[in-house]
Amino acid sequence: MAWSTELRRVHARLRDALTITREALASGEPASPATRELLLFCHGFCTALTRHHEGEDRELFPAVAAAHPELAGTLRALRQDHSMIGHLVGGLEAAVSAAQPPEALAAHLEGIAAIMESHFRYEERSLLRVLETLGLDADPGDALGPL
């Protein structure tokens, strides 16, 4: 299996999920209380993104570190990004649960989107070549999240 292809595929699906979530928010539906659709999209997106990062931290990054110890600093920076994104996702989930107005939810999404895209690009630049030859015997759903 080409882990680089799998990583790109998961990142593309997460980007698509973010787009769908943004569209649900921009649809003009009142967000106070939050619509069922918006709750569904936000919950689905937040869960998928969180599980993706948990899988990388648990399965993928240790395998990369074992095969390429010179990438320890890169992996540390990626884990720090995961922590920051997790904090932002928690803020979005709290905002949705509190039925904050659409502008507040959009601000949370934009913050996540900016960090997520920066993180994905850095991760792809740093790891895709390594992932082309990584020998990892794991289920892609465990290593990259169940998308």
Side-chain angles (χ1 to χ4, degrees), residues 20-133:
I20 290 168
T21 304
R22 283 174 156 162
E23 288 169 357
L25 180 60
S27 71
E29 294 288 328
S32 182
T35 64
R36 183 180 308 268
E37 184 177 90
L38 181 58
L39 285 169
L40 176 66
F41 286 128
C42 283
H43 176 70
F45 168 71
C46 291
T47 299
L49 185 59
T50 298
R51 289 192 179 160
H52 168 63
H53 289 156
E54 289 171 349
E56 285 182 331
D57 290 346
R58 183 183 58 252
E59 299 277 342
L60 188 65
F61 290 175
V64 170
H68 296 276
E70 73 278 8
L71 292 175
T74 298
L75 296 173
R76 187 172 33 261
L78 290 169
R79 285 186 184 102
Q80 287 172 340
D81 283 356
H82 290 175
S83 178
M84 182 184 344
I85 292 169
H87 176 74
L88 295 172
V89 164
L92 173 62
E93 290 174 325
V96 169
S97 294
Q100 289 190 0
E103 307 80 45
L105 299 178
H108 283 281
L109 276 177
E110 289 310 309
I112 291 170
I115 300 299
M116 184 183 94
E117 188 59 36
S118 172
H119 169 77
F120 284 179
R121 287 181 184 189
Y122 176 65
E123 187 171 62
E124 290 169 2
R125 277 192 320 272
S126 302
L127 297 183
L128 284 180
R129 184 171 291 142
V130 167
L131 294 178
E132 290 288 334
T133 60

Side-chain angles (χ1 to χ4, degrees), residues 3-11 52 56 123 131 144:
W3 285 100
S4 59
T5 301
E6 290 299 312
L7 182 68
R8 278 190 230 119
R9 184 182 65 80
V10 169
H11 284 179
H52 168 63
E56 285 182 331
E123 187 171 62
L131 294 178
L144 296 173

